[in-house]
Amino acid sequence: MADSKNPLSEVRERIDSIDRQIQELIAERAERAREVARVKGEGLSAIDYYRPEREAHVLRMVVDRNNGPLSDTEMVRLFREIMSSCLAQEDPLKIGFLGPEGTFSEQAVRKHFGHAAYALPLGSIEEVFQEVAAGHADFGVVPVENSGQGMIQVTLDMFLTSEATICGEVELRVHQCLHSLSGNLADVKHVYAHAQSLQQCKTWLRLNLPGVECTAVSSNAEAARMARADEQAAAIAGESAGKIYGLKTVAKAIEDRADNTTRFLVIGRSLFPPSGNDRTSLLVTVNDKPGALYDVLSPFAKHGVSLNRIESRPAHTGKWQYAFFIDVSGHIDEGNLKEAVAEIRPSVASLRVLGSYPVALP
Amino acid sequence: MADSKNPLSEVRERIDSIDRQIQELIAERAERAREVARVKGEGLSAIDYYRPEREAHVLRMVVDRNNGPLSDTEMVRLFREIMSSCLAQEDPLKIGFLGPEGTFSEQAVRKHFGHAAYALPLGSIEEVFQEVAAGHADFGVVPVENSGQGMIQVTLDMFLTSEATICGEVELRVHQCLHSLSGNLADVKHVYAHAQSLQQCKTWLRLNLPGVECTAVSSNAEAARMARADEQAAAIAGESAGKIYGLKTVAKAIEDRADNTTRFLVIGRSLFPPSGNDRTSLLVTVNDKPGALYDVLSPFAKHGVSLNRIESRPAHTGKWQYAFFIDVSGHIDEGNLKEAVAEIRPSVASLRVLGSYPVALP
């Protein structure tokens, strides 16, 4: 094996040399990150020089440069971790999220802040807002939208009564698949899944497995375990769960909405400069009179600003007032959006910029 | 800010250039990992060319080379993730562990295999062994020892009846601290903690807080939350939990045993070659006669093999037989250990090499 002509040992020597170079570069990167801290002032915590717009820019360059063989997702993940380690040389970022540990929300925290940040599991979405407001957490991560189920109202409503800003967004994509031991649709007599997954796939189930009994269980992992024990059963779960539990995939992407994504917001206490590809969230309250919504929306069209989302909620501030959560493309400091917002202000009861933040990476 | 004399933009330009080089090197590393797969045969799963001894060797070189500013732990973590991504280009490793997600066991899985592996939460330690034996999981991670509480018997006993091998060990170190709002010992009238943490710190509590009421709660995180709501309360929790929950540290490292470490074993189905710094676990059964243990142990001393651990259990194989779990330094293929074991075999009822595996990294 030590023979220099052995192709395996040649490859391994080359990998050792690559690792040496990677390590030197990471060490230098960490050193330079300390320089950034020194330029900004000695003895600061990570929160004092964490720049989400800079991180987003760095990660977008990583995606642009990527030619494989690793996927964009894996390469971004590695750079996220390198930045996370470099940043955590000072007092690490503290991130509040809807606990307990091991949930989808924690995955979103790790996807956005890496594993060198402190993740702080909290009991409710309200508590995440409170902990950020009180400064116990530097940022919070809260779910705001499931593409199958719509906006999460409790999160939106928190913005009506709190001063929280939006500093980022995170998307986790989940494709639901149907898995069974045989992998044949004809064998399936029962379907197990978490209630939410059954809900997300109900059209597919009705069309492809009419009359088949569907049972809600505590998790999709539990469903996969049950399917493994019963040849007539199938489980709805993510793509990897099938592989993990040794099941064959009967059908892929069976969710009713093709893009089954959960979207999270990163909340904080300040606003950040443009990253080059941003989204802006606005909270607008209007008095209930004819044409009110039209007055809000027409300036966006006029100034060529794309509208990404709009959601109305009864405002807590007064009777017969409505609040609109509006997501648009661009940063509030950039020309056309700035102009559109200036035009809207006079015609509405209130307008608050919740945040301008980098568009989520894959 | 765009001024080239701005020290911040100069540092950032340098970081961008470093990132470009790191990315090229990671991509080449991933390419070389595919070459290793090709040398070994097309179309293999990660399990077919995963080499724990090679990974341990690579990580040890990382530690040897490390001159900061990142800690050894952080640098090893980053390389673990890079290797994890490179390996997961083929069908990723599937790792069974004692669930649910978010536990200490999952931390051990991630510390050892990185985040590109599939982690498979299971219901019991027995199930981890079964899933590995059945090939549904490539490896399993099971707790085997808590330095305050001793060996975990259910894990040891599984080796008496299963064919599992040991392919690695993982250590997680936890220092228990006492945290409260004021940080003053004199203010503490109640202590909250998980039952196990109370147990681990009982000497310190008896000496430093005699007569103070101690209450077991569901987790140390819960304890920290309760301490935050009550000025007379303190919580036992890890060092980071105090920071996370905004508490001041009253006392550090209050556990009775200074080295409060949980040790996990990585179990699998095969044995691996030496990594250069290995440990070997042996399962020896002896008939209950005078001098039996002496006959087992003296060859190790004679051949200069260090004994790391020994634990006796009643063997399931026969009445009046005892099983000894013995951990020694070195690899079973290496000279002095090989000779010692050859000398022991004739005098014992049975001797099984559970595994020779790399000593845990920090």
Side-chain angles (χ1 to χ4, degrees):
Chain A
M1 292 290 274
D3 177 7
S4 68
K5 296 254 175 80
N6 179 327
L8 208 53
S9 62
E10 268 178 39
V11 177
R12 286 186 172 161
E13 271 171 38
R14 178 63 197 146
I15 288 177
D16 289 345
S17 146
I18 291 170
D19 284 349
R20 201 174 306 116
Q21 296 172 68
I22 292 175
Q23 188 169 357
E24 275 171 25
L25 288 161
I26 291 175
E28 191 190 338
R29 193 192 201 286
E31 202 55 71
R32 301 288 174 175
R34 291 163 81 101
E35 267 179 56
V36 173
R38 275 194 292 271
V39 168
K40 299 209 165 192
E42 286 286 353
L44 297 173
S45 293
I47 178 70
D48 297 311
Y49 62 97
Y50 171 69
R51 295 261 80 87
E53 78 282 10
R54 163 78 182 152
E55 289 212 344
H57 179 68
V58 167
L59 293 177
R60 244 177 258 134
M61 287 193 291
V62 167
V63 171
D64 288 347
R65 284 191 298 248
N66 193 33
N67 286 318
L70 294 186
S71 66
D72 289 353
T73 307
E74 278 296 293
M75 195 57 103
V76 163
R77 185 176 82 75
L78 293 175
F79 271 86
R80 177 66 79 190
E81 293 298 342
I82 291 169
M83 290 195 290
S84 185
S85 291
C86 289
L87 189 67
Q89 294 180 90
E90 320 297 314
D91 207 10
L93 289 179
K94 290 174 286 185
I95 316 296
F97 71 99
L98 180 60
E101 289 95 340
T103 55
F104 225 41
S105 289
E106 191 180 14
Q107 278 183 46
V109 171
R110 295 310 179 186
K111 184 176 177 190
H112 199 76
F113 291 101
H115 285 77
Y118 286 149
L120 167 61
L122 297 168
S124 65
I125 288 174
E126 289 83 348
E127 209 182 336
V128 178
F129 277 81
Q130 285 158 13
E131 295 296 282
V132 171
H136 297 141
D138 297 318
F139 295 99
V141 171
V142 288
V144 67
E145 192 181 0
N146 180 304
S147 58
Q149 307 285 298
M151 303 295 276
I152 293 161
Q153 306 301 354
V154 58
T155 297
L156 293 184
D157 286 351
M158 285 307 299
F159 288 104
L160 298 174
T161 52
S162 86
E163 299 290 304
T165 63
I166 303 175
C167 309
E169 59 172 5
V170 192
E171 288 182 358
L172 292 181
R173 188 167 293 251
V174 203
H175 278 309
Q176 304 283 15
C177 301
L178 192 72
H179 307 281
S180 74
L181 275 175
S182 71
N184 294 326
L185 189 64
D187 296 339
V188 179
K189 305 284 175 256
H190 300 93
V191 173
Y192 295 102
H194 187 268
Q196 206 178 8
S197 298
L198 287 175
Q199 175 67 18
Q200 286 170 359
C201 304
K202 65 183 175 190
T203 307
W204 190 94
L205 291 170
R206 191 165 34 87
L207 293 176
N208 294 277
L209 290 169
V212 160
E213 194 183 14
C214 295
T215 306
V217 294
S218 63
S219 70
N220 288 348
E222 177 62 23
R225 276 196 286 271
M226 295 182 75
R228 205 170 64 197
D230 178 354
E231 288 182 0
Q232 299 202 314
I236 298 175
E239 215 163 343
S240 63
K243 285 183 194 161
I244 290 176
Y245 289 94
L247 297 171
K248 289 183 184 148
T249 302
V250 180
K252 281 189 187 183
I254 63 170
E255 62 272 11
D256 297 347
R257 296 271 306 258
D259 53 333
N260 190 28
T261 303
T262 299
R263 184 170 167 257
F264 297 84
L265 294 178
V266 179
I267 61 166
R269 296 181 294 272
S270 36
L271 298 170
F272 291 94
S275 76
N277 182 17
D278 298 287
R279 197 190 310 286
T280 294
S281 293
L282 302 168
L283 173 56
V284 179
T285 55
V286 297
N287 295 316
D288 184 26
K289 56 165 191 177
L293 183 57
Y294 177 81
D295 290 345
V296 172
L297 298 185
S298 60
F300 292 124
K302 181 177 152 199
H303 290 275
V305 172
S306 303
L307 204 68
N308 305 133
R309 259 178 220 90
I310 182 162
E311 177 88 9
S312 64
R313 300 286 299 151
H316 294 186
T317 44
K319 257 186 179 169
W320 311 119
Q321 281 199 334
Y322 286 87
F324 291 97
F325 290 91
I326 301 173
D327 285 359
V328 292
S329 292
H331 192 284
I332 191 69
D333 293 344
E334 287 166 345
N336 51 351
L337 180 53
K338 204 171 179 172
E339 285 167 27
V341 166
E343 232 168 86
I344 294 164
R345 275 197 195 276
S347 69
V348 297
S350 74
L351 185 152
R352 183 156 78 92
V353 178
L354 298 178
S356 286
Y357 48 89
V359 170
L361 282 146
Chain B
M1 294 288 274
D3 176 8
S4 69
K5 294 255 176 78
N6 179 327
L8 207 52
S9 63
E10 266 178 41
V11 177
R12 286 186 172 162
E13 270 171 37
R14 178 63 196 146
I15 289 177
D16 290 345
S17 144
I18 292 171
D19 284 349
R20 200 174 308 115
Q21 296 172 67
I22 292 176
Q23 187 169 357
E24 274 170 26
L25 288 161
I26 291 175
E28 191 190 337
R29 195 193 199 287
E31 202 55 72
R32 300 289 174 174
R34 291 164 80 102
E35 265 179 58
V36 173
R38 276 194 292 271
V39 168
K40 299 208 170 195
E42 288 285 356
L44 297 173
S45 294
I47 178 68
D48 297 311
Y49 62 97
Y50 172 69
R51 294 263 79 87
E53 77 282 10
R54 164 77 183 154
E55 289 212 343
H57 179 67
V58 168
L59 294 177
R60 243 177 259 133
M61 286 193 292
V62 167
V63 171
D64 289 346
R65 284 191 299 248
N66 193 32
N67 286 318
L70 294 186
S71 66
D72 289 353
T73 308
E74 279 295 293
M75 195 58 104
V76 163
R77 186 177 80 77
L78 293 176
F79 271 87
R80 177 65 79 190
E81 293 298 342
I82 291 169
M83 289 195 289
S84 184
S85 291
C86 289
L87 189 66
Q89 295 180 89
E90 319 296 313
D91 206 9
L93 289 180
K94 289 174 285 184
I95 316 297
F97 71 100
L98 180 59
E101 289 95 341
T103 54
F104 225 40
S105 289
E106 191 180 15
Q107 279 183 44
V109 170
R110 295 311 181 187
K111 183 175 179 193
H112 198 77
F113 291 101
H115 285 77
Y118 287 148
L120 166 62
L122 296 168
S124 65
I125 289 174
E126 288 83 346
E127 209 182 336
V128 177
F129 278 80
Q130 284 158 13
E131 295 295 282
V132 171
H136 298 138
D138 296 319
F139 295 98
V141 171
V142 288
V144 68
E145 192 180 2
N146 180 303
S147 57
Q149 305 287 297
M151 303 296 275
I152 293 161
Q153 306 301 352
V154 58
T155 297
L156 293 184
D157 286 351
M158 285 307 300
F159 288 104
L160 298 174
T161 52
S162 85
E163 299 292 304
T165 64
I166 303 176
C167 310
E169 59 173 4
V170 192
E171 287 182 359
L172 292 182
R173 188 166 293 251
V174 202
H175 279 308
Q176 303 283 15
C177 301
L178 191 72
H179 307 280
S180 74
L181 275 175
S182 72
N184 294 327
L185 188 63
D187 297 339
V188 178
K189 304 285 174 253
H190 300 94
V191 173
Y192 295 101
H194 187 267
Q196 205 177 9
S197 298
L198 288 175
Q199 174 69 17
Q200 286 169 358
C201 304
K202 65 182 176 191
T203 306
W204 190 94
L205 291 170
R206 190 163 37 86
L207 294 175
N208 294 278
L209 289 170
V212 161
E213 194 184 14
C214 296
T215 307
V217 293
S218 63
S219 71
N220 287 349
E222 178 62 22
R225 276 196 287 270
M226 295 182 75
R228 206 170 63 198
D230 178 355
E231 289 182 0
Q232 300 203 315
I236 299 175
E239 215 163 341
S240 64
K243 287 183 195 161
I244 289 176
Y245 289 94
L247 297 171
K248 289 182 184 149
T249 302
V250 180
K252 281 189 186 183
I254 62 169
E255 62 273 9
D256 297 347
R257 294 274 306 258
D259 54 332
N260 189 29
T261 303
T262 299
R263 182 170 169 256
F264 297 83
L265 294 178
V266 178
I267 59 166
R269 296 181 295 272
S270 37
L271 298 170
F272 291 95
S275 77
N277 183 17
D278 299 286
R279 197 189 311 286
T280 294
S281 294
L282 303 168
L283 173 56
V284 179
T285 56
V286 298
N287 296 314
D288 184 26
K289 56 164 191 177
L293 183 57
Y294 177 82
D295 290 345
V296 173
L297 298 185
S298 60
F300 292 124
K302 180 178 153 197
H303 290 276
V305 172
S306 304
L307 204 67
N308 304 132
R309 256 177 222 93
I310 182 162
E311 177 89 9
S312 65
R313 300 287 297 153
H316 294 184
T317 43
K319 255 187 183 169
W320 312 119
Q321 281 200 333
Y322 286 86
F324 291 97
F325 289 90
I326 302 172
D327 284 359
V328 292
S329 292
H331 193 284
I332 192 67
D333 293 344
E334 287 165 346
N336 51 350
L337 180 54
K338 203 170 179 174
E339 284 167 28
V341 166
E343 233 169 84
I344 293 162
R345 274 195 197 278
S347 70
V348 297
S350 74
L351 185 153
R352 185 155 78 92
V353 177
L354 298 178
S356 286
Y357 48 89
V359 170
L361 283 146

